[in-house]
Amino acid sequence: MTTKLFLIVFIFLSYTTPSLSKRYCHPQDKKVLLQIKKEFNNPTLLSSWKPNSDCCQDRWHGIHCNHKTSHVDSLDLSYDHNLTSQFPPSIGNLPYLVNLSLFHLPKLTGQIPQSISKLTNLKVLSIGVTNMSGPIPNFLSQLKSLVTLNLSFNNFCGTLPPFLHLLPNLKEIFLGGNKFTGPIPCSYGYLNDEYPNFPNLELSYNQLSGKLPMSLGRVNFSHLSLKDNKFEGDASMLFGANKMTEAIDISWNSFTFDFGKVELPKTLSILDVSHNHVYGNLPAGIENVSWLNVSYNRLCGEIPKGGHDHDVYTYIHNKCLCGSPLPSCK
């Protein structure tokens, strides 16, 4: 009976207790992480990264591991105003990374190092609210698994990267709040071309200029923001009755087109075309847009009745719009 009980307990423990020989933190990954800590200048943020502890089991700050492989698959560091360093090139030596997020590190400087191109499993690259600078390097085109590219609110400059359409899984691009100049590449009309429903393109708060490429009208954006740039000319290709777009913000540019000829997507709930040179009448269905701003344009005609109630600031400073909430039409 004692022998049988021992066997039962032994079998139970063998299924419920991790093997004593299992390495929870892959030794090569641990070595790389300690090198990254050194390249970060050993910040207080990474005080939990200790050589005598386990990077997975002991919950090193910002680290997540795949417990099937013992490899680090996520590095997420944020909100540290004291971390002062350049971007650590050794991050490129974590080949199993799926997520890399460095957010709100205002003293993080330097350019994106070429070693990042080795992260071929990366799905999310997020570098935001830092002091990093320089152009977006072409070697990012090697990150074929990338789904989200977020480089918002840094000091990146130069022209927009023209190669993004070569990333077959890319669905979200956030490049707002930088110092990009020049036009939007024609290739952006072929983003994720096999399935042209593209959730998010955010290019606001840059110094972009020129006319929009007509190819951009091919893409069925869910959320699109070109706010506060120097664009001009026609933006009507962004609209369409058959699109599934939910939000469009093209405010604070110099767009010039006949708004009355635009067909709005039925799914559109947020629309801001304010501070442009848009003319003509308000398009059919605009009363159904829940958040709307068409102020500071050259629009005319009667404001449609019904639908959502919008205040006077939605329509002010146009050439000859009339009707509630503006003065009545004569």
Side-chain angles (χ1 to χ4, degrees), residues 175-251:
L175 300 177
N178 284 285
K179 297 178 180 178
F180 294 117
T181 57
I184 296 177
C186 292
S187 59
Y188 281 33
Y190 301 89
L191 292 167
N192 204 355
D193 198 37
E194 292 185 7
Y195 187 68
N197 289 333
F198 201 87
N200 296 304
L201 178 62
E202 164 64 74
L203 301 177
S204 60
Y205 302 108
N206 278 289
Q207 299 169 28
L208 298 167
S209 60
K211 297 182 178 180
L212 301 184
M214 291 301 298
S215 62
L216 215 57
R218 302 178 68 256
V219 188
N220 193 359
F221 293 106
S222 177
H223 295 79
L224 173 66
S225 181
L226 307 179
K227 180 177 183 176
D228 205 345
N229 280 285
K230 300 176 182 179
F231 292 119
E232 60 185 16
D234 191 3
S236 62
M237 81 290 289
L238 303 177
F239 301 87
N242 295 323
K243 292 189 175 184
M244 302 296 291
T245 307
E246 298 174 13
I248 296 177
D249 188 345
I250 58 173
S251 61

Side-chain angles (χ1 to χ4, degrees), residues 44-280:
T44 304
L45 182 69
L46 304 183
S47 59
S48 61
W49 294 21
K50 299 177 180 178
N52 60 348
S53 63
D54 188 284
C55 68
C56 301
Q57 288 294 96
D58 293 328
R59 297 186 179 183
W60 285 17
H61 180 79
I63 297 299
H64 182 272
C65 300
N66 183 318
H67 290 289
K68 291 183 179 179
T69 65
S70 298
H71 282 291
V72 174
D73 61 9
S74 178
L75 173 58
D76 187 346
L77 304 176
S78 58
Y79 292 101
D80 190 331
H81 287 250
N82 297 315
L83 186 152
T84 304
S85 74
Q86 292 198 340
F87 189 100
S90 292
I91 288 178
N93 295 326
L94 294 172
Y96 292 87
L97 271 187
V98 174
N99 171 67
L100 173 58
S101 181
L102 303 174
F103 181 73
H104 219 291
L105 305 174
K107 295 181 181 179
L108 181 66
T109 60
Q111 300 186 17
I112 300 175
Q114 188 161 3
S115 59
I116 293 298
S117 64
K118 296 186 290 184
L119 302 178
T120 55
N121 291 301
L122 201 64
K123 292 184 178 180
V124 177
L125 175 59
S126 181
I127 302 171
V129 196
T130 76
N131 202 30
M132 290 187 65
S133 58
I136 306 303
N138 289 334
F139 54 70
L140 290 188
S141 63
Q142 299 175 39
L143 303 180
K144 300 298 185 183
S145 298
L146 205 62
V147 175
T148 298
L149 176 63
N150 185 356
L151 302 177
S152 300
F153 295 96
N154 301 287
N155 286 314
F156 293 121
C157 60
T159 57
L160 293 175
F163 55 79
L164 296 182
H165 69 295
L166 300 176
L167 301 177
N169 298 296
L170 191 62
K171 290 186 173 69
E172 296 183 304
I173 300 173
F174 302 96
L175 300 177
N178 284 285
K179 297 178 180 178
F180 294 117
T181 57
I184 296 177
C186 292
S187 59
Y188 281 33
Y190 301 89
L191 292 167
N192 204 355
D193 198 37
E194 292 185 7
Y195 187 68
N197 289 333
F198 201 87
N200 296 304
L201 178 62
E202 164 64 74
L203 301 177
S204 60
Y205 302 108
N206 278 289
Q207 299 169 28
L208 298 167
S209 60
K211 297 182 178 180
L212 301 184
M214 291 301 298
S215 62
L216 215 57
R218 302 178 68 256
V219 188
N220 193 359
F221 293 106
S222 177
H223 295 79
L224 173 66
S225 181
L226 307 179
K227 180 177 183 176
D228 205 345
N229 280 285
K230 300 176 182 179
F231 292 119
E232 60 185 16
D234 191 3
S236 62
M237 81 290 289
L238 303 177
F239 301 87
N242 295 323
K243 292 189 175 184
M244 302 296 291
T245 307
E246 298 174 13
I248 296 177
D249 188 345
I250 58 173
S251 61
W252 293 93
N253 282 283
S254 296
F255 288 119
T256 304
F257 60 96
D258 188 342
F259 203 29
K261 294 182 179 180
V262 163
E263 292 185 319
L264 298 179
K266 293 180 175 60
T267 52
L268 195 65
S269 60
I270 298 174
L271 176 60
D272 192 342
V273 300
S274 64
H275 296 271
N276 280 285
H277 307 307
V278 180
Y279 59 91

